[in-house]
Amino acid sequence: MADGAAAPPEQIVYVVDFGAQYAQLIARRVRDLNVYSEIVPHTITAEELAAKNPAALILSGGPKSVRVEGAPELDPAIYDLGLPTLGICYGAQLLAKQLGGEVSRFDQGEYGRTAVTRNTAVSSDSPGRLLADLPSEYSVWMSHFDAISAPPEGATTTASTASAPVAAFEDVDRQIYGVQYHPEVVHSEHGQAIMEKFLLGEAGLSPDWTMGSIIESAVEAIREQVGDGRAICGLSGGVDSAVAAALVHKAIGPRLTCVYVDTGLMRLNESDQVVETFQRHQGIELVHVRAAERFFEGLAGTSEPEAKRKIIGELFIRVFEEAAGGLDDADFLVQGTLYSDVVESGTGDTTATIKSHHNVGGLPDDLQFDLVEPLRNLFKDEVRRVGSELGLPDEIVWRQPFPGPGLGVRIIGEVTPDKVHILQQADAIVRQEIKGAGLEREIFQSFAVLADIRTVGVMGDERTYAHPIIIRAVNSDDVMTADWARLPYDLMETMSSRIINEVEGVNRVAYDITSKPPGTIEWE
Ligand code: XMP
């Protein structure tokens, strides 16, 4: 493959995306069963799909009603390919609509937890197979207004709920299966058992897409792409670039050089850790560019958030280019692009720019390199597993997301070395305490923010006039929405008193209780 991504395995399950946010989740659930899956748009034709040689199909949920005009449908010729097909929610309704069943509007929709009753009258060897081993009643996650009133022609109803007479159906001969609810979400009991039964039982797939096979085929693909060439990789300290570098290093050894730009806006001891991990432990050649002074000079006098982001982004590119220029025999640039980036950028959706994002991936086109993107087929949790398997330490593999512009967007107002110093100390305390409370992996992101204002306080008998620190801790699945974490009061108390006692220049600590929207996760 041209981009260094591992060649996909032979058995691929395609998840047809009908526009809900569930397609990625379904693909992940399939992969959790060690079966490789990819997402395709619902506009795919039978011919295009057949060329991909699918092993099975899953039709996702979607926000529309199948009954409205213009609702997305599947090319009917796809049904003639004879593929084992599972329809979920919208997908199940579409199967009913396109294959001779019926979807009607009922008085009451069903949202959230709902009790499903299995049709125990159907035997376990002919229709009823998908649900055969489940209890006669269990609870699932529903989200629908329309409901199937008649299953596809030839299919048998295998479960129902109070408001959905056909909550599940099967046509074993045609290998067509539908469930009105969402087996992919954790709130649906036995959801993963249904996926397993469909994929490993009914579709007869073998669970051989394992970590070992992923690494092996990625290494092979990188070797094939890079040949005798040389590659460079910009390390940010984050999980994705770290794992991409480790994989490429496994494939081409000393022909990989990493560049680490120390912007001075990293967290406490972070730069030392990156250098230590890659140079000493992994034995990767690393160019450590100490550029903090340039960044501080560039940022002096600027406090507007977008202007700061721009300055940091442009300087980063300039510094990286200078370092890469010294490596002019390199033909390849390694990037940690993930499958979610590929899916999201492929949707063609336009969204307003809330913040101009910068990361190593934002390098300009005129850098004359071919891209090596070994993680293009992988989700974040899979990248973490690959990283651990390759021997990267937990501190890197389990690192929480960190913005490209670093502490620059966590200092509200002008960025100065003094403020960075204060924020680094406070942030380290927040992270230590979160880790000490065992919440590091549970909480999506937790960090400190420094506001460039000062408030009055009293310590001992002295009046103080110093900066406040704001603690931000959020939970999120997809960064598009987030909720503030309900941290235990005792933990907040420890963080607050440690920060005020240990960090000079801070006399007040606040906790941010804003969700996203309306807030964003970062303060700038
Ligand atoms: P916001 O603040 O927009 O952040 O809610 C959403 C997620 O993105 C991270 N973030 C960035 N990541 N470059 C990055 O690579 C950036 O410029 C950037 N800005 C924000 C943020 O930490 C959160 O996880």
Side-chain angles (χ1 to χ4, degrees):
M1 234 185 207
D3 54 17
E10 277 168 23
Q11 287 180 342
I12 306 181
V13 173
Y14 286 96
V15 179
V16 183
D17 183 1
F18 285 99
Q21 67 277 41
Y22 295 113
Q24 287 198 36
L25 193 53
I26 297 171
R28 278 169 55 186
R29 291 283 174 266
V30 175
R31 290 172 176 212
D32 285 344
L33 293 164
N34 295 331
V35 174
Y36 183 67
S37 68
E38 284 190 3
I39 297 166
V40 290
H42 61 83
T43 47
I44 194 163
T45 64
E47 205 178 331
E48 288 162 343
L49 190 62
K52 291 175 177 288
N53 195 20
L57 275 192
I58 299 182
L59 315 184
S60 84
K64 289 237 168 84
S65 156
V66 295
R67 295 169 61 249
V68 303
E69 212 184 321
E73 295 203 347
L74 207 53
D75 175 356
I78 287 178
Y79 299 119
D80 299 331
L81 298 175
L83 299 168
T85 301
L86 171 66
I88 291 176
C89 193
Y90 183 92
Q93 296 187 358
L94 191 66
L95 288 172
K97 181 181 172 193
Q98 291 194 291
L99 297 176
E102 203 178 348
V103 177
S104 313
R105 181 135 205 147
F106 282 70
D107 289 344
Q108 236 179 334
E110 285 175 313
Y111 297 95
R113 202 177 294 284
T114 310
V116 168
T117 309
R118 190 163 70 77
N119 179 359
T120 44
V122 294
S123 78
S124 63
D125 37 38
S126 59
R129 295 215 293 227
L130 219 52
L131 315 179
D133 301 329
L134 305 187
S136 55
E137 195 172 302
Y138 52 97
S139 89
V140 297
W141 193 255
M142 282 283 197
S143 173
H144 69 108
F145 206 93
D146 295 339
I148 302 166
S149 40
E153 211 178 317
T156 308
T157 299
T158 52
S160 52
T161 70
S163 302
V166 187
F169 61 78
E170 288 184 16
D171 180 341
V172 175
D173 293 337
R174 292 186 69 184
Q175 290 198 289
I176 299 284
Y177 306 82
V179 283
Q180 174 62 69
Y181 51 90
H182 288 277
E184 74 277 21
V185 306
V186 288
H187 319 283
S188 281
E189 284 179 352
H190 313 295
Q192 193 64 346
I194 291 173
M195 300 286 261
E196 182 171 349
K197 195 83 187 246
F198 171 66
L199 295 167
L200 308 186
E202 301 303 291
L205 305 181
S206 34
D208 49 17
W209 190 69
T210 58
M211 268 309 123
S213 75
I214 295 170
I215 292 175
E216 208 176 292
S217 61
V219 163
E220 226 169 84
I222 295 163
R223 283 191 184 137
E224 194 177 311
Q225 186 192 2
V226 177
D228 298 332
R230 295 188 63 87
I232 61 170
C233 177
L235 284 180
S236 66
V239 190
D240 309 338
S241 60
V243 175
L247 257 179
V248 174
H249 183 248
K250 188 172 167 73
I252 65 169
R255 285 181 291 120
L256 169 72
T257 305
C258 288
V259 176
Y260 173 67
V261 176
D262 182 353
T263 61
L265 304 171
M266 306 303 279
R267 296 180 295 182
L268 191 67
N269 301 330
E270 198 156 26
S271 297
D272 291 346
Q273 194 202 19
V274 170
V275 174
E276 169 87 14
T277 301
F278 288 92
Q279 226 164 29
R280 296 209 198 109
H281 291 189
Q282 295 267 327
I284 295 179
E285 194 183 313
L286 182 82
V287 180
H288 180 181
V289 191
R290 291 177 178 79
E293 261 176 46
R294 279 177 76 175
F295 281 82
F296 287 128
E297 266 166 35
L299 286 165
T302 305
S303 52
E304 203 280 316
E306 276 301 295
K308 281 163 62 179
R309 279 179 170 268
K310 243 181 143 166
I311 291 168
I312 298 169
E314 282 171 9
L315 256 177
F316 186 93
I317 289 167
R318 211 173 310 147
V319 172
F320 186 87
E321 273 180 323
E322 286 167 17
L327 309 165
D328 51 10
D329 55 344
D331 321 293
F332 296 91
L333 180 69
V334 180
Q335 294 204 321
T337 318
L338 302 188
Y339 189 53
S340 39
D341 306 327
V342 176
V343 175
E344 273 148 33
S345 61
T347 59
D349 285 344
T350 46
T351 47
T353 302
I354 311 287
K355 295 174 186 182
S356 56
H357 270 210
H358 133 79
N359 46 37
V360 184
L363 293 172
D365 296 338
D366 57 3
L367 274 182
Q368 295 297 314
F369 293 111
D370 284 336
L371 291 185
V372 182
E373 299 179 300
L375 313 177
R376 260 184 95 81
N377 296 335
L378 303 180
F379 287 115
K380 191 84 163 193
D381 46 336
E382 294 161 348
V383 168
R384 290 205 161 109
R385 295 214 305 267
V386 170
S388 295
E389 190 90 5
L390 291 171
L392 291 174
D394 278 1
E395 293 82 54
I396 288 195
V397 168
W398 285 100
R399 208 173 94 134
Q400 294 180 348
F402 187 62
L407 299 185
V409 291
R410 292 182 180 172
I411 291 170
I412 313 312
E414 187 190 9
V415 177
T416 63
D418 285 349
K419 285 183 221 158
V420 169
H421 180 71
I422 293 174
L423 183 55
Q424 282 179 333
Q425 313 291 315
D427 182 70
I429 292 173
V430 171
R431 283 186 295 134
Q432 276 165 18
E433 292 301 326
I434 292 274
K435 189 171 179 184
L439 295 173
E440 197 187 22
R441 293 187 192 182
E442 203 173 294
I443 289 179
F444 184 74
Q445 254 177 305
S446 45
F447 54 88
V449 173
L450 176 101
D452 191 17
I453 52 170
R454 287 190 290 167
T455 74
V456 174
V458 54
M459 279 175 94
D461 293 330
E462 302 264 320
R463 172 188 188 273
T464 58
Y465 189 49
H467 295 296
I469 282 287
I470 299 97
I471 298 171
R472 180 82 165 137
V474 296
N475 285 314
S476 173
D477 287 329
D478 57 4
V479 310
M480 303 309 291
T481 59
D483 195 11
W484 56 279
R486 273 53 172 177
L487 295 183
Y489 281 165
D490 289 351
L491 172 63
M492 293 209 254
E493 182 186 355
T494 312
M495 291 195 291
S496 166
S497 65
R498 274 198 64 196
I499 290 171
I500 289 169
N501 286 319
E502 296 174 32
V503 185
E504 207 176 318
V506 178
N507 66 349
R508 190 179 290 271
V509 174
Y511 188 56
D512 182 353
I513 51 168
T514 320
S515 57
K516 173 183 180 177
T520 50
I521 295 176
E522 303 291 344
W523 268 41
E524 284 193 341

